[in-house]
Amino acid sequence: MSRRLEQIASCRDALLKDYPDMASRATAIRESAVANLPALAEKAKQSLTGKKCIVYQAKDKAEAATILRSILQNQEQVVRTYSKTLREIGFDELMSAQGTVVNLSRIEEIVWAGQGSPFLGHPRLPQWDLSPQEIEAALRKFVSFQGEVSPKRLKETVYRRIKEDILRCGYGITSADSVVAENGVLVLPEDEGDGRAVSNLPYHHVAVAGLDKLTWLAEDAVTLAQTTAVYGMGRNTPNYCSLIAGPSRTADIEFRMAYGMHGPKEVHVILLDNGRSALRDQGLGGLLKCIDCGSCYSECAALAAKCKWSEVVLTPKGMALGLVQGRLAPLSSALAMSDFVCPVGLDAKGVVDMLTQVKC
Amino acid sequence: MAEGTIKEKIRAGLHDESARVGRDRALGVIKPAMKKMTASYPDLRSRLTAVKKYSIDHLQQLLPQTVKVLRDRGWQVLVADTPQEALDYIGKIVGKGLVVKSKTNAGKEINVPHYLEDQGAKVVETDLGDRINQLDGGVPSHSLAPAIHVPIERVAELFSKEVGEKLEPELEALVTAARKSLRKYLEQADVGISGANAVIAETGAIIVTENEGNIRAVTSIPRIHIAIAGVEKIVPKLLDGIAVVKAAAAYGVGQDIGTYVSVISGPSRFENDDFAFLGAAQGPQELHMVFLKPGREKAIADDYKETLYCINCGSCLNFCPVYSAIGEKYGYKYLGGRGTVFTAMHASLEKAEEAGLSLCIGCKRCEEACAVEMQTPGMIARLRATAVSEKGLPWARKTMFEMLAANKLPRYARLAEPLQGIATKASGEGTAKPRMSLFDGLPTDRLVPLLAPEHFSDLVKKRKPATVARKGHKVGFFAGCLVNFFRPDLGGSLLDVLEREGVEVITFPDEACCGIPALTSGDESDARKMAAVNVEMLSQQTLDQLIFLCPTCASTAKREWPRLLSQDSRLAQAANTLAAKVMDISEYLVKVVKISPPQGKVNCKVTYHDPCHLVRDLKIKDEPRQLINSIPGVEMVEMKEPDSCCGFGGSFSLFYYDLSRKINDDKVKQIMETGADYVVTGCPGCMVHLADGISHENGRQKPMHVIELLAKAYNQDGGENQ
């Protein structure tokens, strides 16, 4: 893992020479968003509704569960992408409790599930240092393949199976990296491309996003997506970035509006609080600036070491949410963080100070 | 000959009622939405224009840079120097496979669907409108809502046949059926073909925008994705691409953003490099970018690079009176005036002429509406001039313009005037209708103005010399042909008003035509002669201002005379000096004279029509209204779209009278809806055409020039008038 993190860090640092203003822009965007969270949330609700999304507000995990149950109660199967927010509210357990099968769409997550003990502590790469054989073994388990098969054929089978799941399900579930208040747009950056499929092919799209994802402008959201790619992965862009403004629509027949032409007919957006407002109320909104890029892992050995056994994401925001939700035990004062490179102006001492103040 | 084709196209376009109804419906929604949306994003246009200007200026460097970044990100890239190169490349990938396709102008440019079907492939359009046209065998009637002319009953028929069961003409049911049917093709397709709204140099990405979700599907379900785009689509940064799609939504359809914006930076891949050996994940595994170069280099080399700024939003079409009248018949592959310019670049000048190079009426509504501030009418004028310099003019036009250039019109007007009664039948108030239609432009039901028995120069001679002159207010008045020979009374009204204010007015009995009829036909040399005569004559006087009643003459003097005479060592400076002094009478009265309102009452209800050259060329729209509103007793009511073109276009109404009439119809309807007594305007040309149109509708509105109304009020200060 550390070798990979070093690689990411050196790519990041090389890229930052081409993007000298990236951190100051990201910081300004996040500071403004955190400072104006209630106004942003109000505007976002209006804009999302204006784009014909069905908007819900979930105060906590329990409310989110109620909302999801009401939307998905009759579904035999759903398909979802990989999402920390869905994990935060226990989506898989909720579905299992009502007998709904959850199909995964992201191959990396399928392999983690097949491996058994994923590193959930890292925001982006829960599985590290896998050999091709380990990956193939996990995939083979997924499609119940016995015997000899080329990696290409195995991958194709996995791919087709996932595609069939996505095409069969009536509901696709994702989160969003940003929710844009200006125009009610959900922003989904990704590499594999399953997020595009899950949010486009089923008849209904359900997106769960924490209030920390709110931002004013579409340009801000795209800037943050690039920032996350540079700082977290050492690349200057995610492979895909999808902006979604409500359900699919067409006026091609006699210029009369109809919904659900190729994309979803309904888009449900659940805005999740679950401690985000509480953090702000406790004066610890600074921790919400964090965009979960994972850059801090490249410098801070402690984080890298801890994330193997952590259920909770160990970015400053991840830890803050874990603490305020009671999923993370109060931190001992012995928590040591080394200084790290951060796109939103957080530093080790400041983060530790704030984290020790978080009240559940 | 291109003219025959053009006449055919106009006829076909005017007769296609269902397309027209569809267009009207769409434009009725889009235009107000666009006006509102673009007003809320005032910086968008300047930002986008700067981006496109930079991109085209640096295309030489940006293109190889973009190709490299695309390849680094895993795209296979072809930069096609000819359409055939692109077609061969795409054809080889597709073979006889199944292709699902989303909108691509570049693909249409090189006829990709036909080429592929000819080699045995099956191409399925996925955009609902395009699919309807595909099943119907029809052509797209609008750039963004291509099947808007197809009634829902026909759509039901088409999809019933396609899915093999009877479908009701009910919107929801048809959309569901279309979705299911197209989803099947999408799932089975070997290749997806798309366009690109922009190509991003920074990150090696394309950006695409839509409302349906078919582009997302086409670019994610099939394992091979081919994107086709002209090299002019390249922009430097990711955020520049966002500006492009935002502008396309706002200017094209009045949305703040398309329902979907997708940035695609390479074949599907994994975040974790450990997985890289697997190849692609859930998206296409093979990504091809086909760039088209033909015509783009020519555009840059021949100084038409502005036309490459175009983002194909269609905003110009939403406001173009010619497109509104004849739809997709105006243009070729790329529609409208810009389409004809681009056709000259990527195809040929001949093709551009067939596409309708001569059909632009010069109203400049497209310039106002354009997301990147393109001056398309100017480019059209240059292409017309090139066509004339290469091939000459039809003899009738050449004869007419040579006559004007030799300044023979005054003499011919005197000769013709007494003979008008033979050729025309008077209709009262200085108008008449031709007894016989000698050519298309003068049918027997067209109301034309009669030549006046006395020219304006005669009236001037008869006037009492004016008294006290105000210092700094010595102006020249260039009357123009319509005032000189048809409506000298308008010149009289101007003299009445100006002399009242103590302004010294110099008139020019030896005026030549300003040159605009020759110019709009591309005859630069005759126009130049007329400019020279006029500039020579006008610069004999020292003037504070050069005043016009006709904004067409004014804008010609302001913009064209300096350009035409720029190489004339003797007159270039004089032309520039005069241009700086050009002023419309309304502007002069309000801004310079600061005229005080009349005391005399004129009890009437009026509406005001903004002439194209006055509102969009000279940018005057408040002053005429101010003057009208200053007259006691006048009730002013605005029509729905006061600044839409009346359809005259001068010689345009002679060459393309049916089209000119059709454009006029919309204007006349608006005018009659106001219930006004007079339609006041600032252009004698508009007045001619409005009189014609109103007479056809048996309307009671009388056209009036602003100066006429003012003179009426001033001429009886202290009294009332109806």
Side-chain angles (χ1 to χ4, degrees):
Chain A
M1 184 183 187
S2 49
R3 184 179 54 87
R4 187 59 54 75
L5 288 173
E6 265 169 36
Q7 270 176 357
I8 289 175
S10 72
C11 289
R12 171 197 68 196
D13 296 338
L15 276 172
L16 284 177
K17 294 204 185 78
D18 294 330
Y19 294 96
D21 299 329
M22 187 169 260
S24 58
R25 283 168 74 194
T27 308
I29 293 169
R30 291 307 302 148
E31 273 176 2
S32 165
V34 172
N36 296 289
L37 202 53
L40 262 186
E42 226 4 81
K43 181 84 177 99
K45 254 183 16 209
Q46 276 172 32
S47 300
L48 287 163
T49 309
K51 290 292 190 289
K52 304 282 191 280
C53 298
I54 304 164
V55 187
Y56 314 80
Q57 283 180 290
K59 198 175 62 188
D60 53 26
K61 178 174 168 177
E63 250 181 45
T66 311
I67 294 164
L68 284 164
R69 266 195 294 266
S70 76
I71 301 171
L72 301 173
Q73 60 189 350
N74 294 320
Q75 300 306 307
E76 271 183 35
Q77 305 203 16
V78 297
V79 62
R80 70 158 177 78
T81 59
Y82 173 66
S83 154
K84 298 186 287 296
T85 318
L86 289 176
R87 227 174 56 221
E88 180 186 327
I89 58 172
F91 180 79
D92 285 3
E93 293 77 9
L94 180 65
M95 291 296 106
S96 155
Q98 68 175 39
T100 303
V101 171
V102 175
N103 296 296
L104 306 180
S105 65
R106 189 167 167 190
I107 291 179
E108 284 191 49
E109 186 182 4
I110 287 167
V111 168
W112 313 325
Q115 275 284 304
S117 50
F119 297 39
L120 294 171
H122 190 281
R124 314 198 60 74
L125 294 177
Q127 200 67 8
W128 296 88
D129 303 327
L130 287 170
S131 68
Q133 291 77 13
E134 288 171 299
I135 293 173
E136 281 182 48
L139 291 178
R140 200 171 296 166
K141 210 159 108 187
F142 174 63
V143 289
S144 312
F145 237 52
Q146 313 276 357
E148 279 303 302
V149 64
S150 68
K152 198 168 187 286
R153 173 129 184 265
L154 176 62
K155 197 274 299 273
E156 279 307 299
T157 312
V158 168
Y159 163 83
R160 252 181 292 119
R161 161 77 187 275
I162 296 173
K163 193 45 116 295
E164 279 160 24
D165 290 342
I166 299 174
L167 288 167
R168 184 179 58 249
C169 289
Y171 284 79
I173 327 288
T174 72
S175 67
D177 267 39
S178 286
V179 179
V180 181
E182 155 195 44
N183 47 22
V185 162
L186 304 173
V187 181
L188 273 65
E190 60 171 325
D191 280 2
E192 275 191 43
D194 58 303
R196 304 176 76 211
V198 168
S199 62
N200 197 46
L201 301 177
Y203 234 141
H204 309 264
H205 174 207
V206 179
V208 184
L211 294 177
D212 54 296
K213 302 295 178 58
L214 292 167
T215 195
W216 286 112
L217 302 175
E219 287 81 357
D220 293 346
V222 172
T223 301
L224 291 179
Q226 255 195 309
T227 307
T228 306
V230 168
Y231 277 83
M233 295 304 298
R235 296 175 178 149
N236 79 343
T237 182
N239 203 46
Y240 300 104
C241 192
S242 306
L243 283 70
I244 300 168
S248 147
R249 63 202 81 198
T250 178
D252 274 339
I253 299 179
E254 295 189 342
F255 218 67
R256 292 155 59 187
M257 193 64 81
Y259 294 90
M261 181 54 221
H262 281 276
K265 193 168 169 157
E266 272 182 1
V267 176
H268 302 256
V269 180
I270 303 174
L271 295 172
L272 179 70
D273 190 335
N274 206 18
R276 285 134 177 102
S277 299
L279 280 170
R280 260 183 104 247
D281 294 340
Q282 294 174 25
L284 303 171
L287 291 165
L288 288 176
K289 288 194 305 180
C290 165
I291 60 174
D292 282 343
C293 63
S295 176
C296 40
Y297 286 67
S298 290
E299 275 80 39
C300 180
L303 286 177
K306 283 192 158 63
C307 72
K308 180 164 185 168
W309 294 281
S310 173
E311 277 278 320
V312 169
V313 171
L314 296 179
T315 57
K317 179 167 71 179
M319 286 194 276
L321 289 173
L323 286 166
V324 81
Q325 292 159 9
R327 291 160 65 216
L328 196 62
L331 297 170
S332 73
S333 47
L335 171 71
M337 285 181 87
S338 357
D339 268 319
F340 46 80
V341 172
C342 174
V344 295
L346 294 171
D347 65 286
K349 182 170 186 311
V351 168
V352 170
D353 275 347
M354 283 193 276
L355 287 176
T356 47
Q357 293 173 58
V358 177
K359 286 190 263 303
C360 174
Chain B
M1 174 72 234
E3 268 309 297
T5 323
I6 297 294
K7 288 280 161 75
E8 252 318 297
K9 282 186 164 183
I10 296 175
R11 211 183 332 260
L14 289 175
H15 280 119
D16 194 344
E17 259 311 296
S18 64
R20 168 78 183 196
V21 165
R23 257 195 319 278
D24 282 350
R25 191 179 299 136
L27 296 182
V29 175
I30 290 174
K31 281 163 77 170
M34 173 267 184
K35 286 196 180 139
K36 191 152 159 247
M37 194 56 64
T38 53
S40 351
Y41 288 97
D43 299 328
L44 186 52
R45 176 200 245 166
S46 52
R47 166 151 160 63
L48 182 63
T49 307
V51 165
K52 292 302 271 184
K53 187 170 191 307
Y54 179 91
S55 306
I56 302 301
D57 283 344
H58 294 86
L59 193 52
Q60 191 102 330
Q61 301 96 301
L62 276 176
L63 177 55
Q65 182 191 328
T66 308
V67 170
K68 179 174 187 312
V69 177
L70 286 166
R71 287 193 175 131
D72 287 344
R73 299 221 39 109
W75 294 77
Q76 300 180 46
V77 183
L78 171 75
V79 180
D81 283 311
T82 65
Q84 196 56 46
E85 247 191 272
L87 291 170
D88 285 342
Y89 181 86
I90 296 169
K92 214 183 299 188
I93 299 168
V94 168
K96 296 196 200 298
L98 173 63
V99 174
V100 286
K101 186 181 157 295
S102 61
K103 274 193 175 41
T104 155
N105 281 308
K108 190 159 68 148
E109 186 182 321
I110 59 173
N111 283 325
V112 162
H114 288 130
Y115 184 82
L116 293 177
E117 297 205 307
D118 281 347
Q119 70 177 36
K122 184 172 163 74
V123 178
V124 175
E125 294 284 353
T126 57
D127 173 271
L128 179 59
D130 288 334
R131 181 60 174 161
I132 293 172
N133 279 327
Q134 190 175 39
L135 294 173
D136 195 24
V139 286
S141 60
H142 183 272
S143 55
L144 298 173
I148 213 128
H149 58 288
V150 182
I152 192 168
E153 291 78 15
R154 177 80 184 129
V155 176
E157 265 177 48
L158 293 168
F159 277 103
S160 297
K161 190 151 148 239
E162 174 72 1
V163 306
E165 63 171 88
K166 185 155 188 333
L167 297 167
E168 291 306 309
E170 197 271 319
L171 186 61
E172 296 280 324
L174 288 176
V175 168
T176 307
R179 178 198 175 100
K180 284 209 181 86
S181 147
L182 287 170
R183 182 61 67 89
K184 275 211 206 71
Y185 286 112
L186 282 161
E187 289 176 33
Q188 293 162 9
D190 304 299
V191 179
I193 295 184
S194 80
N197 291 88
V199 183
I200 317 287
E202 175 198 6
T203 56
I206 66 167
I207 187 165
V208 278
T209 187
E210 56 176 320
N211 283 321
E212 287 186 22
N214 64 308
I215 308 183
R216 294 179 92 202
V218 161
T219 59
S220 67
I221 306 180
R223 296 303 260 159
I224 302 175
H225 168 207
I226 306 174
I228 315 176
V231 291
E232 76 281 5
K233 291 303 185 78
I234 296 174
V235 294
K237 301 262 186 253
L238 182 51
L239 286 180
D240 298 333
I242 299 287
V244 169
V245 298
K246 269 190 156 178
Y251 281 84
V253 283
Q255 283 178 231
D256 59 0
I257 194 164
T259 306
Y260 303 107
V261 174
S262 307
V263 183
I264 300 167
S265 317
S268 166
R269 66 156 185 217
F270 296 91
E271 274 202 60
N272 186 342
D273 288 340
D274 292 340
F275 290 72
F277 76 99
L278 288 175
Q282 196 47 236
Q285 60 186 11
E286 212 179 292
L287 224 47
H288 299 264
M289 180 74 231
V290 177
F291 279 119
L292 298 185
K293 261 174 85 178
R296 279 86 180 159
E297 284 177 321
K298 180 181 164 68
I300 296 174
D302 291 355
D303 200 22
Y304 289 95
K305 63 177 183 176
E306 228 195 324
T307 199
L308 300 179
Y309 299 172
C310 178
I311 62 170
N312 288 310
C313 66
S315 182
C316 52
L317 300 177
N318 292 337
F319 290 90
C320 174
V322 177
Y323 173 78
S324 177
I326 64 174
E328 90 289 352
K329 298 286 186 284
Y330 184 26
Y332 165 71
K333 298 190 174 181
Y334 296 91
L335 299 182
R338 188 265 169 175
T340 63
V341 173
F342 197 52
T343 301
M345 299 297 118
H346 78 81
S348 66
L349 190 53
E350 284 66 41
K351 205 71 206 175
E353 289 180 291
E354 276 173 38
L357 189 64
S358 57
L359 291 182
C360 170
I361 198 173
C363 73
K364 296 198 178 182
R365 290 201 89 189
C366 57
E367 276 187 29
E368 238 181 9
C370 179
V372 291
E373 304 172 15
M374 270 196 299
Q375 298 185 310
T376 296
M379 287 188 270
I380 291 174
R382 281 175 52 210
L383 286 169
R384 288 176 184 169
T386 305
V388 166
S389 69
E390 282 175 11
K391 293 177 290 186
L393 273 171
W395 74 265
R397 289 199 204 190
K398 188 67 186 155
T399 309
M400 177 161 76
F401 302 146
E402 276 174 355
M403 182 268 290
L404 291 174
N407 208 358
K408 297 212 178 101
L409 184 56
R411 184 148 64 91
Y412 288 2
R414 288 209 199 277
L415 289 173
E417 192 272 325
L419 303 172
Q420 285 178 114
I422 301 173
T424 64
K425 185 163 185 277
S427 301
E429 303 198 36
T431 62
K433 295 192 179 179
R435 289 191 197 273
M436 268 196 328
S437 175
L438 287 171
F439 65 100
D440 285 347
L442 287 175
T444 53
D445 64 348
R446 180 173 183 178
L447 196 73
V448 295
L450 282 170
L451 288 162
E454 286 185 317
H455 295 177
F456 178 58
S457 50
D458 301 325
L459 289 185
V460 168
K461 278 205 204 98
K462 283 191 178 160
R463 287 177 74 93
K464 279 208 289 282
T467 44
V468 177
R470 247 157 101 166
K471 275 204 94 96
H473 285 74
K474 179 180 174 192
V475 306
F477 169 49
F478 186 94
C481 297
L482 270 172
V483 170
N484 273 327
F485 309 118
F486 293 90
R487 291 296 304 270
D489 62 295
L490 296 179
S493 298
L494 179 139
L495 290 177
D496 288 346
V497 174
L498 286 181
E499 283 168 6
R500 246 180 128 261
E501 296 293 317
V503 175
E504 185 187 350
V505 185
I506 313 292
T507 59
F508 302 90
D510 297 322
E511 276 179 30
C513 168
C514 69
I516 190 79
L519 267 178
T520 55
S521 280
D523 182 0
E524 297 253 305
S525 70
D526 285 320
R528 183 169 296 116
K529 291 195 186 114
M530 295 181 236
V533 165
N534 286 317
V535 169
E536 177 93 61
M537 168 193 77
L538 291 165
S539 41
Q540 303 298 321
Q541 298 280 346
T542 334
L543 305 166
D544 295 312
Q545 229 70 58
L546 183 58
I547 306 300
F548 293 79
L549 262 190
C550 175
T552 303
C553 299
S555 75
T556 308
K558 197 179 175 92
R559 289 192 210 304
E560 304 295 344
W561 290 354
R563 184 185 65 80
L564 288 164
L565 298 172
S566 61
Q567 303 300 311
D568 185 322
S569 53
R570 211 169 45 89
L571 294 173
Q573 182 53 43
N576 284 323
T577 311
L578 279 170
K581 296 187 179 159
V582 166
M583 247 197 191
D584 174 73
I585 182 65
S586 302
E587 194 189 2
Y588 182 67
L589 288 173
V590 171
K591 286 214 184 109
V592 180
V593 172
K594 299 205 203 323
I595 193 167
S596 38
Q599 308 282 328
K601 245 179 156 198
V602 185
N603 291 322
C604 60
K605 187 171 177 193
V606 311
T607 186
Y608 178 74
H609 159 71
D610 290 283
C612 295
H613 281 116
L614 190 55
V615 68
R616 275 178 285 282
D617 227 299
L618 300 170
K619 309 254 192 283
I620 300 293
K621 75 181 237 226
D622 294 326
E623 289 84 342
R625 287 174 165 84
Q626 225 177 296
L627 291 170
I628 294 169
N629 283 318
S630 75
I631 303 173
V634 169
E635 182 198 341
M636 160 78 161
V637 53
E638 294 279 6
M639 65 182 94
K640 260 213 304 262
E641 257 191 291
D643 63 350
S644 66
C645 179
C646 74
F648 185 51
S651 49
F652 186 93
S653 75
L654 280 176
F655 304 138
Y656 302 118
Y657 182 64
D658 286 343
L659 185 49
S660 183
R661 266 287 293 280
K662 184 67 180 172
I663 297 171
N664 197 17
D665 281 350
D666 293 335
K667 192 85 226 193
V668 169
K669 266 194 203 64
Q670 288 184 50
I671 291 170
M672 290 173 66
E673 262 169 29
T674 64
D677 304 308
Y678 299 105
V679 48
V680 181
T681 186
C683 173
C686 298
M687 286 167 66
V688 166
H689 206 47
L690 290 175
D692 181 28
I694 291 170
S695 83
H696 283 112
E697 298 298 318
N698 295 313
R700 61 182 187 83
Q701 283 76 20
K702 278 189 58 193
M704 214 188 218
H705 197 287
V706 179
I707 200 68
E708 256 186 291
L709 187 62
L710 270 179
K712 209 169 177 164
Y714 286 115
N715 278 345
Q716 30 118 74
D717 261 346
E720 290 212 11
N721 197 347
Q722 288 287 1

